[in-house]
Amino acid sequence: YYAPLVLNPQGGNVGVGTTSPQVPLDVAGVIRAAPRTFSALPGCNSSTEGSLASVSDSAAATWGATVSGGGSNHVLAYCDGTNWTVAAK
């Protein structure tokens, strides 16, 4: 059985590795997004804008370039509301 995990549904900041979070989600440490192929990402549109994903098969590696699959570059991708773009190599 799967159900949504809701933290502080009445508002307030959530801390991971910190007892005094300063923003809505405050993580002290490394955040890992498991790499996936570009084809496994959701479509980039207004409802996914602001999403980040680790991509393992990007054809592009230049910051700001549109991400597409089929390559050998491992990049951090950002959904700008229209396209997944390279945010880091």
Side-chain angles (χ1 to χ4, degrees):
Y1 171 73
Y2 293 98
L5 173 64
V6 179
L7 303 173
N8 285 351
Q10 306 303 315
N13 297 334
V14 174
V16 176
T18 178
T19 57
S20 56
Q22 303 298 305
V23 294
L25 179 58
D26 195 343
V27 178
V30 175
I31 298 171
R32 179 177 185 267
R36 56 186 54 213
T37 60
F38 178 73
S39 64
L41 297 181
C44 178
N45 53 52
S46 60
S47 64
T48 54
E49 182 175 1
S51 298
L52 295 170
S54 177
V55 177
S56 61
D57 69 338
S58 177
T62 305
W63 184 88
T66 299
V67 175
S68 62
S72 60
N73 297 294
H74 292 238
V75 299
L76 178 64
Y78 171 76
C79 171
D80 65 8
T82 304
N83 295 300
W84 285 99
T85 60
V86 177
K89 163 90 175 92

